[in-house]
Amino acid sequence: MSPTMIAPVMEEENKKYQRGVKHLCDNGLTKVPTKYILPEPDRPIFTKSDKLIKSKQNLKLPVIDFAELLGPNRPHVLQTIAEACETYGFFQVVNHGMEGDVSRNMIEVCKRFFELPYEERSKYMSTDMSAPVRYGTSFNQIKDNVFCWRDFLKLYAHPLPDYLPHWPSSPSDFRSLGARYAKETKEMFEMMVKAILESLEINDRDEAAEELEEGSQVVVVNCYPPCPEPELTLGMPPHSDYGFLTLLLQDDVEGLQILHREEWVTVDPIPGSFVVNVGDHLEIFSNGRYKSVLHRVLVNPTKPRISVASLHSFPLTSVVKPSPKLIDEQNVPKYMETDFATFLQYVSSREPKWKNFLESRKIHYVR
Ligand code: OGA
Ligand code: NI
């Protein structure tokens, strides 16, 4: 075919993938299309017989019991949080106060959203990174060369009254269940911020605490359909989260992996728990003490998976910098000041990969 013939064909092919993985799978699929096949070094490691090369490594993350955090054992729990944030960048939370119904209903209504006809879901499709509601596929569907096996719905959630009217009106109970979930997650985040600041020995009446209370919240619903050849692709490529903290609710299907001591390890889902992880902004704020750790998502051949990530940070207009309380002559700032506008510009201008945004904010001292 001459190059002039290839271009329209490719464009037509690309358009098909822009509609997302769910749409692709609904039409029946036995092989992963080339668009989703990662270069060999980036693939998850499976042997030819579809077994993991090493015995599969699952990781039990440190578990924080929220009820204990609020009791006489608080100092000990704070110590566990500090160690988890330093060593793993991740921990799990149980007894967090959110009723089982609230989280189960959220997962369930999100499932029903992704089961709606494509025409209904696609009403929320947008390439504008700052749209209050955005339905899409892959990681950055404009820039990604290889697509990942994921569709998503991104909802701005704070202040809720500003955004709720933009949220999907179908399924009819989406807004009410989603709003309850977003509100309760925000409360959980606020308790978590108090604990995190205390673990860094920063007073919780710190200016940062106030800013975080009025900060941004984005709820991202991830949908990973079953994949016929999971060894060739990923649900999400290795990335770190850009906010302060992410609170992740998973259904009972595993898939999340974190990079720990240079190995990918799978996080064991604990039913009803939340996985909490340090984002880039907390790494910067803690001047590098707490780590924003790379993570990725595996897909599997049989089970669809849904997760709901609630990303929390400072207000969109705030400047993020190492806390002045942690800086002195011995502890020089390791990161430049940064803001959301810079971040959004950064991610929309290139393929977001690894931790390159955070790397770009590091100060390299010449001795
Ligand atoms: C994310 C994320 C993990 C998952 O949304 O940033 O890392 O298990 N999600 O879906
Ligand atoms: Ni993430």
Side-chain angles (χ1 to χ4, degrees):
M1 231 188 282
S2 73
T4 44
M5 294 283 284
I6 292 171
V9 173
M10 295 251 295
E11 212 165 282
E12 201 42 49
E13 277 285 294
N14 272 337
K15 246 196 234 154
K16 181 165 93 189
Y17 301 126
Q18 298 286 340
R19 293 183 196 135
V21 192
K22 185 77 176 54
H23 183 72
L24 198 67
C25 294
D26 286 347
N27 295 324
L29 205 66
T30 52
K31 284 187 100 44
V32 168
T34 312
K35 184 74 184 164
Y36 299 85
I37 301 181
L38 288 163
E40 242 176 279
D42 298 343
R43 292 179 199 167
I45 321 163
F46 292 89
T47 61
K48 295 227 160 55
S49 62
D50 270 3
K51 292 208 184 74
L52 285 167
I53 284 177
K54 289 188 211 142
S55 60
K56 196 162 78 62
Q57 301 198 59
N58 275 34
L59 178 71
K60 295 221 182 310
L61 286 173
V63 176
I64 303 299
D65 184 328
F66 233 65
E68 238 186 290
L69 183 67
L70 305 177
N73 228 356
R74 187 170 175 92
H76 175 73
V77 182
L78 291 177
Q79 184 63 30
T80 313
I81 292 181
E83 283 165 13
C85 293
E86 287 165 357
T87 317
Y88 299 97
F90 274 78
F91 54 88
Q92 307 214 58
V93 179
V94 296
N95 270 332
H96 38 64
M98 183 187 284
E99 279 178 28
D101 273 358
V102 178
S103 49
R104 272 192 300 273
N105 287 344
M106 180 62 178
I107 294 270
E108 197 258 338
V109 77
C110 291
K111 253 186 207 153
R112 281 191 277 126
F113 173 82
F114 284 102
E115 278 159 13
L116 291 172
Y118 171 73
E119 290 65 36
E120 185 62 36
R121 280 177 280 145
S122 64
K123 284 183 189 165
Y124 304 97
M125 234 165 198
S126 161
T127 49
D128 174 6
M129 296 292 257
S130 49
V133 176
R134 191 156 69 88
Y135 178 72
T137 190
S138 194
F139 205 61
N140 179 341
Q141 75 201 77
I142 306 299
K143 302 277 169 199
D144 294 347
N145 282 324
V146 177
F147 270 20
C148 50
W149 204 260
R150 164 213 187 214
D151 295 338
F152 65 82
L153 179 68
K154 215 167 254 194
L155 307 157
Y156 277 55
H158 188 80
L160 199 53
D162 290 357
Y163 294 122
L164 198 57
H166 299 276
W167 286 18
S169 49
S170 178
S172 59
D173 49 354
F174 186 89
R175 286 186 194 165
S176 62
L177 296 175
R180 172 117 195 244
Y181 179 82
K183 248 188 264 162
E184 293 198 14
T185 327
K186 176 96 167 96
E187 284 164 19
M188 206 189 293
F189 166 72
E190 279 161 21
M191 302 231 275
M192 216 88 82
V193 166
K194 287 203 173 84
I196 297 253
L197 292 181
E198 208 175 320
S199 75
L200 288 167
E201 290 170 29
I202 294 174
N203 190 302
D204 70 3
R205 279 186 296 277
D206 190 81
E207 188 188 335
E210 278 172 26
E211 278 193 53
L212 285 166
E213 202 157 307
E214 275 323 302
S216 59
Q217 177 183 16
V218 182
V219 174
V220 186
V221 186
N222 300 302
C223 164
Y224 308 99
C227 173
E229 295 171 297
E231 65 282 10
L232 300 180
T233 190
L234 283 169
M236 245 198 236
H239 68 279
S240 63
D241 292 351
Y242 62 81
F244 192 84
L245 275 186
T246 302
L247 277 57
L248 180 82
L249 175 70
Q250 341 178 48
D251 63 11
D252 52 2
V253 181
E254 64 180 34
L256 174 63
Q257 291 197 315
I258 73 172
L259 194 62
H260 180 59
R261 301 199 173 124
E262 296 179 28
E263 305 232 33
W264 288 107
V265 287
T266 302
V267 174
D268 253 347
I270 304 177
S273 74
F274 275 79
V275 174
V276 178
N277 67 292
V278 173
D280 292 353
H281 291 169
L282 176 51
E283 179 168 325
I284 295 173
F285 179 80
S286 71
N287 203 29
R289 185 172 156 198
Y290 290 174
K291 300 284 186 292
S292 172
V293 165
L294 284 171
H295 50 287
R296 67 179 190 185
V297 177
L298 299 188
V299 284
N300 76 79
T302 50
K303 295 178 236 162
R305 178 170 183 266
I306 295 264
S307 71
V308 185
S310 189
L311 286 82
H312 300 259
S313 199
F314 296 103
L316 296 174
T317 49
S318 283
V319 172
V320 185
K321 56 178 189 293
S323 167
K325 311 270 162 41
L326 303 176
I327 300 298
D328 57 30
E329 272 174 20
Q330 270 81 50
N331 299 290
V332 292
K334 294 184 183 150
Y335 304 84
M336 289 175 248
E337 295 186 351
T338 185
D339 59 29
F340 258 110
T342 315
F343 170 77
L344 286 176
Q345 219 171 22
Y346 193 90
V347 290
S348 30
S349 66
R350 58 195 287 165
E351 202 172 345
K353 234 184 172 181
W354 302 91
K355 288 177 69 164
N356 46 18
F357 178 70
L358 197 57
E359 287 304 321
S360 78
R361 310 313 301 162
K362 274 193 185 151
I363 301 175
H364 301 280
Y365 290 95
V366 180
R367 285 174 201 276

